Amino acid sequence: MSHSAYGKIWVAAQGALEDLIQKEIPAEPPRPQKDQQVAFHTLATFYVKYVQILRSLETVYDQIVHPQKRRVIRHMLDGVMGRVLELKREMVDLEFSEFHYYDDILQDLKLTPEDIEIPIPRYFVSEKIRVLKDRERILAQILAKAGPQELETKVNVKQLSLAEAVRLIQVSERARQGRLRAKFMKEIRQEEEKEQQARIRGVTTLDPDEASTRIQKVWRGYSQRKRTKKERLEEMIFLGMLPAPQQQQTSAARLQAQQVESARHVVQEEHEVEFQHALVSIRETIRSLEGPDIKESLQEQIRQWFIECHDATGKFPDYPDEEDGGSAAIFAEKTPEQVAAELAAKEEEKEKKKKSKGKKDKKSGKKEKKKDKKGKGKGKKGKGDKEEEEQGWKMTPSNFLPTVVEGNKSYKDVWQGRDEGHNFSQRFDGELIKEEKRKEVEEEIRIQVDELMRQELKNLKLTVDREKGKKKKGKKGGKKKKKKKGKKGGKKKQKKEKDLTADRTIESLYEELVQEGLLIRPSRTKLTDFIGEYSYLGTTLRQADIEPMPSLSDVKQLMALYGILPLGSQAVHEKAPLMKTLLLAGPAGVGKKMLVHALCTETGANLFNLSSANIAGKYPGKSGLQMMLHMVFKVARQLQPSVVWIGDAEKTFYKKVPKAEKEMEPKRLKKDLPKLLKSIKAEDRVLIVGTTRRPFDADLKPFCKVYKKILLIPRPDYSSRLVLWSHVILQNRGLITSALDLSSLAKITDGYTQGHMVRAVQAVLTDRRVQLQGKKPLTAVEFISPLARQDPIYKEEEEAFKTWYAKTPLGKKRAKAAKASEEDGESGKAGKSKGKKAGKKGKKKKKKKKK
């Protein structure tokens, strides 16, 4: 695609964003929405449209090569990402569910489920690729040093004596010879049987013409059947009744598109380097050429202000402090009288505040008592009015809407009507850099001029108003002392955490954590490798008051929203709803660990393993545990983003520790985890991710206090299993033909997880079986026997997960809301029935009166 094509995508995204901003910030504030379904529909529509804009902006940011445009798009991209997260939180608070369904909205907007998949911005990894490569190299070196220690953990091979080895070889060789002899004897017997049958029937020789006719008949039948089969297959593929055969090689068009994209990335880097050089060079030229003129003009303006203030008020003004903006406050389009009056008013306010502090404290108690007495009579009416006003749902204030509005404004002001016909190669715009750098240079010079003009003003005051100058000096000295006292008091209040490793470098701590196995290398797994299909009946089931099981596609979307987007962007993480912990709960084999590794791969995060099995025996004692946690979180903060993984998270909160696990001390982290969570702030891109397959073994209250965001990962449904079988077979060098009935295979494997399917495919598709696929295609029957050796997930286990999730805080809220809606429905029916009965009684009374 060309520069203009990506430019059009950007223009379309900005247009859609402009419409959304007008709807989100209307001229009149909207009234509270009492109907929950209407409120959710509004939120979901906003969410779907923002996701579409996010997808467009992510594509544009990845491919546009203009460095200044990319900065504006990046600003918008962060704002839209944050807004999507805020809308998701609103929907969760409204419906008390992590999973939402937008089938009706997709139908209205004529979209597919793929159109609302959360995109993972590629700049998360691409912009720090060098750092990641250096980290990978250091990690490889440390692991290479620790290599011999790892080899010791391998299983020892049993050593055989010479006699035992000879006997084993003899047994194997005799068995091989016996198999060959049996095969040879079988072939001899078959030949003898054929000869005997030929003797009985009597051999007859055919006429050459008849023989050729028979050969032609057989060959023509074979060739026609082959041709018919091929045509039928083509027709079925054309109608969509059969999947198209997988292409072994990517198409030429796709290869060319990939080459163009990579070439644009190279151009991006070149233009960025040029832009950075231009920033420095243009700033220096402005400072050298325009700096003296700017300095002179500022001095003249400030001197003129001195004279005007003296003429208007009869005295020289006080020069604004640096905190108030210095001389910038003078030139804020105000007259000298207004500036002098503002400065005087500020001083008076400060003095009044100091004097009236004590008086206000005394009077406040009396006033509150009077108000309480007066308000007793009016209290009931006032409360009723407030309750009526507060009823219904209102959108909470957004932290990201101002960012989006600001980005949209900068686009309108600078780029919307800009003619770039001359800039075909999309290099930087020098005029925009000059405008920006001129302001920076002016600010720098202004600070220098302020120092000179303050001194000049002091000299003027000394010569003209000596007595007044002395008094003002005294006041200034008093102010400074008070400020210092305030600063000292503030320092005392702030308590700094003790740094247990102040004498050590981050590199040494990193190396120690790798050697101890606490910092591990994540596998290169992407979120797209977590295969799952969208649930198309979610909205229909919810309207029928049936809670649908979430699909794997929904889980993948939540992982992107709650994990990848906040960890990938610092700007989003600081303002978005703060996520410190995330729990992935589900049966064994559903892909919990895979999601953790995908989270690290997509964001370039470090992976720390604090599972109870991994930390057993390491850093013993209370002091050792504190040192370990301090080291882990210090390195995690310094090298953020970071993911702290706690496998088998329920073990930390066991109700009762099993005897077999008492030596491992699985509850070591129970007391320290809540303290660690308090220390994680908005600027720390550190996420604690727990995985569990038996959450019901944990004490629920402390467990849910630590893990406030819980994702329940179910076993795959039919549509997901169908996609999974196809993906896993192709991934393991299998060929999908018409002989392989994937639909039946997906149907009979209900209850099996992704892990079960992978193991079954790996067991079937050995090297020899892969080679035989051309002669003997794969069939569904071959996968049944390896599946039969594995235990599926039974209904009892699935119900146990559902009942446990219903006891979590969000599950309780949803159950409570469902109960309240049922009661409202029943009360509404009862009201209608009472109304009907009252109407019938009234009619009867009227009839009696007439009689």
Side-chain angles (χ1 to χ4, degrees):
M1 290 172 74
S2 62
H3 299 314
S4 60
Y6 287 110
K8 286 174 184 175
I9 295 171
W10 186 23
V11 170
Q14 288 292 154
L17 195 60
E18 177 70 23
D19 296 339
L20 275 180
I21 289 169
Q22 288 177 2
K23 288 177 183 176
E24 286 225 65
I25 311 173
E28 294 181 3
R31 291 182 179 180
Q33 182 58 251
K34 293 181 181 179
D35 191 346
Q36 187 180 339
Q37 288 185 355
V38 175
F40 176 76
H41 191 273
T42 305
L43 276 173
T45 306
F46 278 140
Y47 174 82
V48 168
K49 288 183 177 179
Y50 268 115
V51 169
Q52 284 182 283
I53 293 167
L54 177 61
R55 290 174 68 86
S56 300
L57 289 176
E58 195 279 324
T59 305
V60 169
Y61 182 74
D62 184 61
Q63 290 298 308
I64 271 186
V65 298
H66 197 297
Q68 288 154 306
K69 285 182 181 178
R70 293 186 84 238
R71 275 156 177 75
V72 177
I73 295 165
R74 171 69 179 272
H75 188 66
M76 295 292 302
L77 188 60
D78 288 341
V80 172
M81 269 196 287
R83 189 64 189 135
V84 166
L85 294 177
E86 285 180 335
L87 289 169
K88 181 65 182 177
R89 182 191 60 184
E90 287 279 340
M91 288 191 286
V92 171
D93 293 343
L94 187 67
E95 282 207 325
F96 305 114
S97 174
E98 298 291 352
F99 301 97
H100 309 290
Y101 304 98
Y102 321 103
D103 311 338
D104 49 347
I105 296 165
L106 292 179
Q107 286 177 359
D108 294 341
L109 298 174
K110 296 180 181 178
L111 300 172
T112 62
E114 288 77 20
D115 293 328
I116 59 164
E117 277 190 11
I118 303 297
I120 296 162
R122 282 160 274 191
Y123 77 84
F124 286 175
V125 175
S126 63
E127 290 188 358
K128 54 181 180 181
I129 192 71
R130 290 178 185 173
V131 177
L132 293 174
K133 283 181 178 176
D134 291 342
R135 192 194 299 169
E136 184 70 22
R137 180 175 50 77
I138 293 164
L139 189 61
Q141 287 173 359
I142 296 166
L143 290 172
K145 286 179 186 177
Q149 295 176 3
E150 291 178 0
L151 290 172
E152 291 174 6
T153 58
K154 288 187 176 179
V155 179
N156 293 322
V157 180
K158 186 184 176 183
Q159 292 184 352
L160 298 173
S161 63
L162 183 63
E164 287 175 335
V166 169
R167 187 171 180 278
L168 187 64
I169 292 166
Q170 284 178 345
V171 169
S172 302
E173 180 59 23
R174 284 169 185 166
R176 187 185 70 81
Q177 289 177 3
R179 286 193 295 272
L180 285 173
R181 197 179 296 110
K183 187 180 177 184
F184 182 64
M185 292 303 293
K186 186 180 178 183
E187 288 173 359
I188 290 170
R189 279 197 299 273
Q190 285 174 351
E191 286 294 326
E192 287 177 354
E193 285 175 3
K194 283 181 183 178
E195 287 175 5
Q196 192 175 357
Q197 286 177 0
R199 282 195 214 103
I200 293 166
R201 291 175 186 170
V203 180
T204 56
T205 55
L206 289 172
D207 183 50
D209 293 336
E210 190 179 349
S212 61
T213 305
R214 287 189 182 185
I215 292 167
Q216 284 179 355
K217 182 181 176 183
V218 171
W219 171 248
R220 284 175 181 173
Y222 168 75
S223 60
Q224 185 59 43
R225 283 193 297 274
K226 192 177 178 182
R227 198 181 301 115
T228 306
K229 189 178 179 182
K230 186 183 176 183
E231 288 174 359
R232 184 173 178 276
L233 184 64
E234 287 174 357
E235 186 181 1
M236 295 294 278
I237 290 168
F238 175 74
L239 294 171
M241 299 296 288
L242 286 175
Q246 63 274 17
Q247 294 179 351
Q248 298 295 332
Q249 295 179 349
T250 52
S251 62
R254 189 179 290 275
L255 285 171
Q256 189 181 359
Q258 289 171 358
Q259 287 171 2
V260 170
E261 286 182 3
S262 57
R264 291 182 77 89
H265 289 151
V266 173
V267 175
Q268 271 180 10
E269 290 177 7
E270 291 172 359
H271 287 192
E272 183 63 29
V273 170
E274 289 176 8
F275 178 66
Q276 292 299 332
H277 286 310
L279 288 176
V280 177
S281 60
I282 290 171
R283 182 173 181 167
E284 291 301 320
T285 52
I286 289 171
R287 186 182 289 166
S288 59
L289 296 174
E290 300 180 19
D293 295 336
I294 293 169
K295 189 176 182 181
E296 282 180 17
S297 65
L298 284 171
Q299 286 177 334
E300 285 175 9
Q301 287 173 4
I302 293 166
R303 285 192 189 108
Q304 184 64 29
W305 178 67
F306 290 164
I307 294 162
E308 288 176 4
C309 281
H310 190 271
D311 293 343
T313 60
K315 60 179 181 179
F316 287 109
D318 291 332
Y319 206 91
D321 295 330
E322 287 181 16
E323 295 172 0
D324 298 329
S327 58
I330 299 167
F331 306 113
E333 298 178 2
K334 293 173 185 174
T335 61
E337 292 86 352
Q338 287 174 335
V339 174
E342 280 184 11
L343 292 170
K346 282 181 183 177
E347 287 180 8
E348 285 176 12
E349 280 178 11
K350 287 176 183 176
E351 288 176 7
K352 282 179 182 178
K353 282 178 182 177
K354 289 171 188 174
K355 290 177 182 177
S356 62
K357 269 184 184 177
K359 292 178 182 179
K360 280 182 182 177
D361 292 339
K362 289 177 183 177
K363 289 178 182 179
S364 60
K366 293 177 182 178
K367 284 181 182 178
E368 280 174 9
K369 287 178 183 177
K370 287 178 183 178
K371 282 179 185 176
D372 291 340
K373 288 176 183 177
K374 286 179 183 178
K376 278 181 183 177
K378 296 178 182 178
K380 292 176 184 178
K381 291 180 183 177
K383 282 178 185 176
D385 294 339
K386 281 182 183 177
E387 281 176 7
E388 284 178 9
E389 287 175 7
E390 290 174 1
Q391 274 182 358
W393 170 83
K394 269 188 178 181
M395 186 87 77
T396 53
S398 170
N399 293 329
F400 289 95
L401 261 183
T403 309
V404 174
V405 171
E406 185 188 342
N408 193 47
K409 188 176 181 298
S410 64
Y411 165 75
K412 280 182 175 179
D413 296 344
V414 180
W415 299 107
Q416 191 171 23
R418 201 175 192 86
D419 182 21
E420 286 194 298
H422 62 284
N423 191 8
F424 182 74
S425 60
Q426 291 289 292
R427 296 180 188 278
F428 65 87
D429 194 327
E431 291 301 318
L432 289 175
I433 297 175
K434 283 179 184 177
E435 288 174 17
E436 185 185 343
K437 293 301 168 185
R438 193 174 283 117
K439 290 176 184 176
E440 289 181 14
V441 170
E442 191 175 337
E443 285 300 318
E444 284 181 11
I445 294 170
R446 189 187 296 281
I447 293 165
Q448 297 170 8
V449 169
D450 284 351
E451 290 177 5
L452 294 169
M453 298 313 291
R454 278 194 189 94
Q455 190 62 40
E456 190 174 322
L457 184 61
K458 282 180 184 178
N459 295 335
L460 280 169
K461 286 182 179 180
L462 284 170
T463 54
V464 179
D465 304 323
R466 287 189 179 182
E467 291 180 5
K468 291 179 182 179
K470 284 177 184 177
K471 288 178 184 178
K472 284 174 184 177
K473 278 183 186 178
K475 285 176 185 177
K476 284 180 183 177
K479 283 176 190 175
K480 283 179 185 176
K481 284 178 184 177
K482 283 175 185 176
K483 281 179 186 176
K484 282 179 184 177
K485 283 180 183 177
K487 283 179 185 176
K488 283 178 184 176
K491 281 181 184 177
K492 285 179 184 177
K493 287 177 184 177
Q494 290 175 0
K495 291 182 180 179
K496 290 184 179 179
E497 293 179 7
K498 288 183 180 179
D499 192 353
L500 302 174
T501 55
D503 56 337
R504 294 184 62 182
T505 61
I506 290 294
E507 289 78 11
S508 66
L509 294 175
Y510 186 89
E511 187 174 354
E512 185 178 335
L513 290 173
V514 172
Q515 288 172 350
E516 291 292 335
L518 298 175
L519 200 158
I520 60 175
R521 178 189 287 164
S523 61
R524 291 182 182 178
T525 307
K526 291 194 172 183
L527 195 64
T528 49
D529 297 334
F530 188 81
I531 306 297
E533 190 59 38
Y534 184 79
S535 176
Y536 294 92
L537 291 173
T539 305
T540 310
L541 291 171
R542 276 204 173 161
Q543 285 172 355
D545 294 331
I546 300 167
E547 185 59 26
M549 280 299 288
S551 67
L552 297 181
S553 177
D554 299 327
V555 172
K556 185 165 68 173
Q557 296 299 298
L558 287 182
M559 201 65 195
L561 285 167
Y562 293 153
I564 294 170
L565 294 189
L567 274 184
S569 172
Q570 184 70 35
V572 173
H573 194 273
E574 286 178 359
K575 292 183 183 178
L578 188 58
M579 183 86 65
K580 296 181 181 181
T581 55
L582 180 66
L583 181 69
L584 304 177
V590 291
K592 300 182 290 295
K593 192 175 174 182
M594 181 185 181
L595 286 171
V596 174
H597 286 273
L599 174 60
C600 295
T601 305
E602 297 286 8
T603 57
N606 294 292
L607 180 59
F608 298 87
N609 186 359
L610 291 185
S611 305
S612 55
N614 192 46
I615 63 172
K618 296 174 184 176
Y619 298 95
K622 192 176 180 181
S623 59
L625 180 63
Q626 286 179 350
M627 175 61 77
M628 179 185 74
L629 293 174
H630 170 77
M631 286 167 62
V632 165
F633 279 87
K634 185 178 179 180
V635 175
R637 286 190 181 96
Q638 289 290 326
L639 304 177
Q640 57 183 302
S642 299
V643 173
V644 180
W645 172 45
I646 302 176
D648 295 326
E650 78 282 354
K651 292 183 179 181
T652 311
F653 300 92
Y654 262 147
K655 295 173 186 174
K656 190 178 179 182
V657 181
K659 290 180 181 179
E661 296 183 21
K662 278 187 178 179
E663 292 180 3
M664 291 171 60
E665 296 181 64
K667 296 174 79 172
R668 281 182 80 189
L669 297 175
K670 186 176 181 180
K671 291 181 181 178
D672 294 288
L673 264 181
K675 295 175 187 175
L676 288 168
L677 291 179
K678 288 178 183 177
S679 68
I680 297 172
K681 297 173 185 175
E683 58 267 19
D684 300 328
R685 283 188 290 160
V686 179
L687 181 66
I688 298 172
V689 182
T691 56
T692 174
R693 53 186 172 184
R694 293 191 61 81
F696 22 82
D697 291 346
D699 193 2
L700 189 64
K701 197 174 180 181
F703 195 41
C704 291
K705 272 187 179 179
V706 170
Y707 298 102
K708 291 184 179 177
K709 188 64 72 176
I710 300 169
L711 299 186
L712 187 62
I713 305 174
R715 57 184 175 79
D717 54 6
Y718 170 76
S719 56
S720 294
R721 289 195 302 275
L722 186 63
V723 178
L724 272 164
W725 275 116
S726 175
H727 176 77
V728 174
I729 289 169
L730 292 174
Q731 201 176 34
N732 287 273
R733 301 177 297 163
L735 293 174
I736 296 172
T737 60
S738 56
L740 180 58
D741 190 356
L742 287 176
S743 179
S744 299
L745 192 59
K747 193 75 177 171
I748 62 171
T749 49
D750 186 14
Y752 288 94
T753 64
Q754 299 94 308
H756 292 137
M757 293 178 193
V758 170
R759 284 191 287 273
V761 170
Q762 287 173 351
V764 170
L765 287 172
T766 58
D767 292 337
R768 181 167 175 75
R769 185 67 187 88
V770 169
Q771 291 171 0
L772 290 171
Q773 283 182 105
K775 297 176 182 177
K776 186 182 176 185
L778 286 172
T779 58
V781 180
E782 294 179 64
F783 297 98
I784 291 172
S785 58
L787 281 170
R789 298 188 199 105
Q790 304 177 65
D791 291 327
I793 295 165
Y794 297 105
K795 275 191 176 181
E796 292 78 10
E797 189 177 351
E798 194 174 349
E799 289 299 322
F801 274 100
K802 284 183 180 178
T803 52
W804 172 81
Y805 190 75
K807 293 175 185 175
T808 60
L810 194 66
K812 284 179 180 177
K813 284 179 184 176
R814 181 154 183 80
K816 192 178 179 182
K819 192 177 179 182
S821 63
E822 282 178 12
E823 287 175 359
D824 290 342
E826 286 174 6
S827 62
K829 287 177 184 177
K832 285 180 183 177
S833 62
K834 282 180 183 178
K836 286 179 183 177
K837 285 178 183 177
K840 286 177 183 178
K841 285 178 182 178
K843 285 178 183 178
K844 285 178 182 178
K845 284 179 182 178
K846 282 179 184 178
K847 284 178 182 178
K848 285 178 182 179
K849 282 179 183 178
K850 283 178 183 178
K851 287 177 182 178

